[in-house]
């Protein structure tokens, strides 16, 4: 009788141990599954698919601070390209100037107004003049507050009878703003001014 009771007690302990092992393994598997699910979700959220020419191209999302300098330089380049690359067409001039003015504050608007009042844009259209900007380098100092920059480039002015190459050095500061369709990098150029814009070379055509 006692032997049977002892066997039952041993069997019960064995069963309880087995059940405890099953519960521990089950909870471990559940925990591992949850961890892997969150890890996979985090990895997927870090991937962006950009649609280009009908094809989905995978890009990686990164923290803004990790590529602040790259985005700042791209913003500055985009502004100068839009502001200085002009064709003898009123609609094109207005379109590209508007694009540039979304990227800068009133300091760029004042420069535009001064050029317009001096009939600079009228002269481009009436004289069939094209202007284009070539970028040499952009120096960005993100240790200062606000972020400051110096743009180095050249401006090519193509007239019917001549080709003029001018230096183009500008400076300004950057303020971080909300990103938008018109301002994808989320910066605003402030206190923008032209430091140097003198003729370097003049060729006859």
């Amino acid at each position: 009788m006692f032997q049977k009771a002892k066997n039952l007690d041993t069997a019960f302990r064995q069963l309880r141990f087995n059940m405890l092992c099953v519960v521990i393994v089950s909870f471990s598997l559940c925990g591992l599954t949850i961890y892997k699910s969150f890890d996979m979700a985090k990895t997927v959220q870090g991937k962006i698919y950009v649609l280009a020419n009908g094809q989905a191209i995978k890009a990686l999302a990164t923290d803004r601070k990790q590529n602040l300098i790259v985005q700042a330089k791209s913003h500055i380049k985009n502004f100068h390209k839009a502001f200085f690359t002009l064709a003898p067409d009123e609609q094109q001039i207005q379109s590209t100037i508007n694009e540039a003015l979304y990227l800068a504050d009133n300091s760029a608007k004042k420069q535009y107004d001064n050029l317009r009042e001096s009939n600079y844009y009228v002269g481009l259209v009436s004289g069939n003049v094209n202007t284009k900007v070539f970028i040499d380098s952009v120096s960005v100092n993100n240790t200062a507050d606000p972020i400051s920059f110096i743009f180095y480039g050249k401006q090519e002015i193509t007239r019917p009878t001549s080709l003029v190459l001018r230096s183009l050095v500008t400076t300004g500061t950057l303020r971080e703003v909300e990103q938008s369709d018109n301002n994808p990098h989320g910066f605003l150029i402030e206190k923008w001014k032209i430091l140097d814009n003198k003729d370097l070379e003049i060729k006859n055509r």
Side-chain angles (χ1 to χ4, degrees):
M1 185 72 178
F2 289 108
Q3 184 66 32
K4 289 183 178 179
K6 187 177 180 180
N7 290 340
L8 285 174
D9 185 55
T10 302
F12 177 74
R13 287 182 181 178
Q14 185 67 36
L15 181 62
R16 186 172 60 181
F17 176 76
N18 291 340
M19 289 297 295
L20 185 62
C21 290
V22 169
V23 170
I24 291 173
V25 171
S26 298
F27 273 106
S28 299
L29 287 174
C30 288
L32 183 62
T33 302
I34 292 171
Y35 171 77
K36 286 294 185 181
S37 298
F38 276 107
D39 187 55
M40 184 177 294
K42 186 178 179 181
T43 302
V44 170
Q45 287 177 352
K47 295 178 181 177
I48 300 172
Y49 290 88
V50 181
L51 190 63
N53 297 325
Q55 293 183 344
I57 301 173
K58 185 173 73 175
L60 294 178
T62 58
D63 185 2
R64 178 175 171 83
K65 291 183 179 180
Q66 292 179 347
N67 58 357
L68 183 73
I69 297 294
V70 175
Q71 290 192 50
K73 287 184 177 182
S74 181
H75 181 89
I76 295 163
K77 290 175 182 179
N78 289 344
F79 167 76
H80 284 82
K81 284 179 182 177
F83 197 89
F84 290 103
T85 302
L86 304 170
D89 181 292
E90 291 181 8
Q91 290 184 345
Q92 187 272 345
I93 291 173
Q94 195 60 53
S95 175
T96 55
I97 291 296
N98 286 342
E99 181 182 333
L101 294 180
Y102 276 115
L103 309 179
D105 72 348
N106 197 45
S107 58
K109 178 68 164 55
K110 285 181 180 179
Q111 183 67 37
Y112 164 68
D113 289 340
N114 291 337
L115 291 171
R116 186 181 61 183
E117 289 174 7
S118 65
N119 292 322
Y120 174 75
Y121 300 107
V122 173
L124 294 181
V125 176
S126 62
N128 291 319
V129 179
N130 289 77
T131 66
K132 186 185 298 184
V133 66
F134 297 98
I135 300 165
D136 292 333
S137 65
V138 179
S139 175
V140 176
N141 181 11
N142 67 328
T143 59
D145 187 22
I147 299 170
S148 61
F149 73 87
I150 300 179
F151 172 91
Y152 300 93
K154 293 180 180 65
Q155 183 183 14
E156 184 183 77
I157 303 172
T158 305
R159 298 189 175 99
T161 58
S162 65
L163 184 68
V164 180
L165 190 66
R166 290 181 178 172
S167 61
L168 181 61
V169 182
T170 73
T171 186
T173 61
L174 291 174
R175 173 161 58 95
E176 293 188 59
V177 296
E178 291 295 322
Q179 294 173 296
S180 66
D181 290 341
N182 294 316
N183 190 342
H185 293 296
F187 287 105
L188 192 70
I189 294 174
E190 297 181 317
K191 301 177 182 177
W192 180 66
K193 57 184 177 181
I194 299 173
L195 299 178
D196 185 24
N197 192 213
K198 63 177 179 290
D199 290 350
L200 297 175
E201 186 179 5
I202 301 175
K203 294 180 180 179
N204 293 326
R205 296 186 65 209

